[in-house]
Amino acid sequence: HAPVPKSTPPVGLHAKLRPYQETGVEWISRLARLETGGVLADDMGLGKTLQVIAALVREKEQGHANGPSLVVTPTSLITNWQRELGRFAPGLKVLCLHGPKREGLRRGIADADVVLTTYPLLVRDLTSFEGLAFHHLVLDEAQAVKNPRSQASRAVRELSARHRLCLSGTPIENNLEELWSLFDFLMPGLLGSAEAF
């Protein structure tokens, strides 16, 4: 495959990326240009969150973002995403749909650059996402949708997005059906039916 070309880091990113992180950001940008999805499967602690944030800043700066991006996380990580976005990308407008007052915040989705929610709340609030189209749809700890029959897995497939990305340090934990489930979310039909796979 062709090497991923290097480009200038986003101006609005308040972080210095390591070389492998720069490569990751370029790869995410390449996926977007090719209009395909992918799994960023770096080990834990290598900065998957920062790479996605850098890619989102770049998309906005280059005028490619045609609406807000949605990041779905486990409940335990939503405050981490808020903190990292505020620290590394203060120029992005972030809307966190979490907690009992989230219903009143939904009016701000169209004005946000990044919308954050959790897997359990997405399942509960799925009807409120009907008719919305996101630029990027990012699943953090994407092994949360490894079972294609789970409520979370079915819910993320209902969402509309131009680009889809999974983040996971463990894309396969027990069996290959888990990998099939991720790719069925990313590019439905690519690997055929679950039974055939």
Side-chain angles (χ1 to χ4, degrees):
H1 72 296
V4 179
K6 297 257 182 184
S7 62
T8 310
V11 175
L13 184 70
H14 293 200
K16 176 143 177 50
L17 299 174
R18 296 184 175 121
Y20 72 86
Q21 292 171 326
E22 291 175 353
T23 301
V25 173
E26 297 299 334
W27 179 76
I28 294 168
S29 296
R30 178 184 277 187
L31 289 179
R33 286 193 307 276
L34 295 173
E35 297 187 359
T36 189
V39 180
L40 181 59
D42 284 351
D43 286 337
M44 194 169 83
L46 293 183
K48 294 185 291 291
T49 303
L50 178 57
Q51 291 173 64
V52 170
I53 291 170
L56 294 177
V57 171
R58 171 179 286 163
E59 289 281 294
K60 182 178 179 182
E61 289 180 359
Q62 293 180 347
H64 297 311
N66 61 349
S69 291
L70 177 65
V71 178
V72 185
T73 77
T75 304
S76 61
L77 294 179
I78 196 162
T79 53
N80 182 64
W81 271 91
Q82 275 186 291
R83 186 174 53 250
E84 301 280 281
L85 281 159
R87 177 179 169 197
F88 297 127
L92 293 181
K93 291 182 236 159
V94 178
L95 177 65
C96 185
L97 296 178
H98 189 252
K101 297 181 180 174
R102 69 188 181 280
E103 192 59 44
L105 299 173
R106 291 189 197 290
R107 293 184 302 275
I109 290 177
D111 296 326
D113 295 311
V114 182
V115 178
L116 301 173
T117 194
T118 66
Y119 291 103
L121 291 179
L122 176 64
V123 169
R124 192 176 309 158
D125 301 344
L126 187 58
T127 56
S128 66
F129 287 94
E130 287 176 2
L132 296 175
F134 294 98
H135 182 63
H136 276 285
L137 172 53
V138 179
L139 304 186
D140 191 16
E141 300 296 340
Q143 65 272 13
V145 299
K146 68 184 180 182
N147 176 352
R149 294 166 295 282
S150 71
Q151 288 183 317
S153 187
R154 289 196 307 264
V156 296
R157 285 166 171 74
E158 295 289 319
L159 299 170
S160 175
R162 189 171 173 193
H163 309 295
R164 294 173 178 239
L165 184 67
C166 291
L167 311 181
S168 178
T170 52
I172 302 174
E173 292 179 313
N174 301 303
N175 59 63
L176 283 175
E177 182 187 49
E178 298 168 0
L179 187 64
W180 178 88
S181 184
L182 296 186
F183 276 91
D184 188 57
F185 159 75
L186 292 167
M187 293 170 276
L190 176 72
L191 299 178
S193 68
E195 295 74 24
F197 182 74

